[in-house]
């Protein structure tokens, strides 16, 4: 005998609805669990943005503590290297008006090293960017340091507190960016500054640039070393001094070199053939306002109004 069992027909519409409801419930459960974990992670302090430590985009080494004084060697050319260690002018990438001056550049290096050796709390900075297309991505600052090393001028105890600043495109940036570099290395700002450059640029540095950043006059020292004007190889004294007078006048009415299409702004652009950017606005947040300040007086078209914000060396 054959027994036949007939199963009841399923309701296909009901089955589809039940499967859809089950899938939706599972998705909802996954979302709920995920939100729960995120909430717990945040409550337990896992959110990096709420950490007491300032988030950084990269890992940095330990700061060099105990340094209070900044010595800046302002760079004017690129040493290309060579057996003569800078004594042969052919080893330098220079402008025509700088012929006969390369020995002076070496004197600037020697003066910076000598001053830095006298005070163990000093950071020595060679400041100068990649200013010449003909030399490619070689900075003035690094070339001066390389020359100092080639001439065996920097002993081990000074080497640990010597660095380069490779973004400056003019004398104002030599000062401001070296201060910024000091902060990157030490985590603080300098209490005293010594600048080494040409003597004929004394007023530009000691008055105009110092006043623009409002660094205390009693804490700012300028050491000027001019070329040997009596040297027969240097016939440019009159034209150099005339050019400096014109440049100083330009800084006098544009303290921050910020007037669009003006002489100083155009020079700065021309000295950045590699289109280099710097990160000082990130590493020195206290100076962001100063970096961006112009102080342009619309009535006169000059920028003699000093930055009105708070500066760390005026605390």
């Amino acid at each position: 005998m054959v027994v036949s069992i007939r199963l009841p027909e399923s309701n296909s519409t009901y089955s589809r609805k039940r499967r859809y409801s089950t899938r939706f419930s599972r998705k909802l459960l996954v979302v709920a669990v995920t939100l729960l974990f995120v909430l717990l992670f945040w409550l337990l302090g896992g959110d990096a943005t709420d950490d007491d430590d300032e988030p950084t985009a990269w890992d940095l080494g330990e700061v060099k503590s105990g340094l209070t004084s900044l010595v800046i060697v302002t760079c004017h050319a690129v040493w290309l290297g060579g057996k003569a260690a800078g004594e042969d002018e052919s080893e330098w990438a220079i402008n025509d008006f700088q012929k006969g001056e390369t020995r002076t550049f070496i004197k600037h290096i020697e003066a910076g090293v000598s001053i830095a050796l006298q005070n163990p709390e000093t950071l020595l900075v060679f400041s100068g960017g990649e200013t010449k297309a003909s030399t490619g991505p070689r900075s003035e600052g690094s070339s001066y340091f390389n020359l100092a090393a080639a001439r065996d001028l920097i002993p081990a105890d000074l080497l640990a507190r010597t660095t380069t600043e490779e973004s400056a495109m003019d004398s104002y940036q030599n000062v401001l960016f070296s201060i910024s570099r000091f902060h990157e290395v030490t985590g603080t700002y300098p209490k005293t500054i010594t600048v080494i450059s040409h003597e004929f640029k004394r007023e530009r540095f000691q008055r105009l640039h110092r006043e623009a950043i409002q660094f205390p006059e009693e804490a700012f020292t300028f050491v000027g070393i001019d070329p040997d004007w009596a040297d027969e190889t240097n016939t440019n004294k009159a034209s150099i001094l005339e050019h400096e007078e014109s440049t100083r006048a330009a800084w006098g009415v544009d303290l921050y070199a910020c007037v669009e299409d003006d002489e100083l702004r155009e020079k700065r652009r021309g000295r950045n053939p590699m289109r280099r950017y710097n990160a000082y606005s990130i590493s020195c947040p206290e100076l962001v306002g100063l970096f961006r300040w112009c102080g342009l007086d619309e009535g006169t078209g000059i920028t003699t109004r000093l930055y009105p914000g708070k500066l760390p060396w005026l605390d």
Side-chain angles (χ1 to χ4, degrees):
M1 184 176 72
V2 178
V3 178
S4 177
I5 301 176
R6 187 177 181 180
L7 297 175
E9 293 182 2
S10 63
N11 187 326
S12 58
T13 301
Y14 171 78
S15 298
R16 284 196 300 271
K17 288 182 177 179
R18 185 170 60 182
R19 288 196 300 270
Y20 177 80
S21 176
T22 302
R23 288 197 299 270
F24 180 78
S25 297
R26 288 175 179 171
K27 290 181 179 178
L28 187 61
L29 178 62
V30 170
V31 171
V33 171
T34 302
L35 290 175
L36 179 61
F37 273 109
V38 170
L39 179 61
L40 289 173
F41 182 73
W42 181 77
L43 290 174
L44 292 174
D47 189 350
T49 59
D50 288 336
D51 199 310
D52 290 336
D53 295 330
E54 181 181 354
T56 57
W58 50 79
D59 293 326
L60 300 174
E62 293 185 7
V63 298
K64 296 184 183 297
S65 59
L67 301 181
T68 61
S69 179
L70 169 62
V71 171
I72 307 168
V73 176
T74 62
C75 305
H76 305 280
V78 175
W79 179 61
L80 302 172
K83 296 181 180 179
E87 296 288 348
D88 189 335
E89 194 167 83
S90 65
E91 294 182 351
W92 292 85
I94 57 175
N95 299 312
D96 288 341
F97 68 85
Q98 293 176 308
K99 291 180 179 179
E101 286 192 43
T102 54
R103 188 66 186 84
T104 307
F105 303 155
I106 297 174
K107 291 180 180 180
H108 291 169
I109 295 173
E110 293 171 338
V113 170
S114 176
I115 294 170
L117 284 172
Q118 296 172 26
N119 182 359
E121 296 183 356
T122 295
L123 180 72
L124 174 63
V125 176
F126 295 104
S127 173
E130 298 170 0
T131 57
K132 292 179 172 57
S134 62
T135 61
R138 284 188 275 196
S139 74
E140 295 175 349
S142 63
S143 79
Y144 269 47
F145 170 78
N146 290 337
L147 178 55
R151 296 178 71 89
D152 198 25
L153 294 176
I154 305 178
D157 62 322
L158 179 56
L159 185 63
R161 46 190 178 89
T162 299
T163 189
T164 58
E165 188 293 304
E166 302 179 51
S167 296
M169 301 298 167
D170 56 40
S171 52
Y172 173 72
Q173 290 185 345
N174 282 142
V175 178
L176 182 57
F177 288 177
S178 291
I179 293 174
S180 304
R181 185 71 186 119
F182 185 97
H183 183 266
E184 288 183 338
V185 173
T186 69
T188 62
Y189 289 97
K191 294 181 178 179
T192 64
I193 294 176
T194 300
V195 176
I196 295 96
S197 187
H198 294 97
E199 174 61 31
F200 62 80
K201 294 182 179 181
R202 175 178 293 274
E203 185 176 357
R204 189 203 300 194
F205 280 97
Q206 193 161 315
R207 185 173 65 84
L208 296 174
H209 296 337
R210 183 196 60 77
E211 288 183 358
I213 65 171
Q214 302 170 64
F215 203 85
E217 184 175 6
E218 66 276 7
F220 190 96
T221 302
F222 181 83
V223 176
I225 303 174
D226 273 346
D228 185 355
W229 300 116
D231 190 336
E232 293 181 358
T233 63
N234 194 321
T235 59
N236 301 314
K237 178 179 179 179
S239 61
I240 288 175
L241 295 182
E242 182 179 353
H243 181 266
E244 172 58 23
E245 185 176 350
S246 173
T247 302
R248 186 168 61 246
W251 282 108
V253 296
D254 190 5
L255 284 176
Y256 302 96
C258 62
V259 177
E260 194 66 29
D261 298 326
D262 203 8
E263 172 189 355
L264 297 175
R265 190 76 177 272
E266 288 302 306
K267 281 184 178 180
R268 186 176 288 173
R269 287 196 184 101
R271 291 171 181 165
N272 192 10
M274 300 294 116
R275 288 183 57 82
R276 284 291 186 181
Y277 294 76
N278 64 69
Y280 296 137
S281 291
I282 298 174
S283 61
C284 305
E286 304 90 346
L287 302 183
V288 170
L290 180 59
F291 293 146
R292 298 175 179 175
W293 176 253
C294 185
L296 180 64
D297 187 321
E298 297 293 345
T300 62
I302 63 177
T303 64
T304 55
R305 289 191 293 124
L306 296 179
Y307 173 62
K310 182 179 180 181
L311 292 170
W313 44 85
L314 296 179
D315 290 343

